[in-house]
Amino acid sequence: MATNCDFKRSSLLAEQYQQEMELISQALLEESEEEREERLSLVERSWPLTSACFYAQRESGDTSSRTSAVSAHQLRS
């Protein structure tokens, strides 16, 4: 059940997100073609590393979840 505090926090996060998106949108409108190309190049170069980290973390999380489940089962036995 959501509390009033949860709702206020959620509203605050949504407001902060909206403000940040407006700043990003404005910056993107103002960037030059050269800046745009540089930004896209950085994203392109970093994507393989980002993907590898994401999948490694996901697999690590899957492993720790299975380990926790096995440990909990062993404690009950």
Side-chain angles (χ1 to χ4, degrees):
M1 182 158 115
T3 64
N4 194 25
C5 183
D6 292 336
F7 179 74
K8 286 180 184 176
R9 184 170 186 266
S10 177
S11 296
L12 179 60
L13 290 174
E15 185 179 325
Q16 288 175 336
Y17 174 81
Q18 184 61 39
Q19 290 172 352
E20 290 175 8
M21 288 299 105
E22 288 171 7
L23 289 172
I24 291 170
S25 294
Q26 187 61 36
L28 289 173
L29 290 172
E30 294 174 357
E31 78 179 347
S32 69
E33 184 66 26
E34 184 177 308
E35 290 170 323
R36 180 180 182 277
E37 292 299 323
E38 181 181 352
R39 179 176 50 81
L40 293 175
S41 175
L42 289 171
V43 170
E44 183 179 11
R45 287 184 299 189
S46 67
W47 185 250
L49 181 58
T50 302
S51 297
C53 288
F54 171 78
Y55 287 113
Q57 188 174 27
R58 192 174 106 193
E59 288 176 6
S60 174
D62 289 346
T63 302
S64 65
S65 295
R66 282 186 245 131
T67 303
S68 296
V70 168
S71 297
H73 178 71
Q74 289 173 344
L75 288 174
R76 282 187 251 143
S77 299

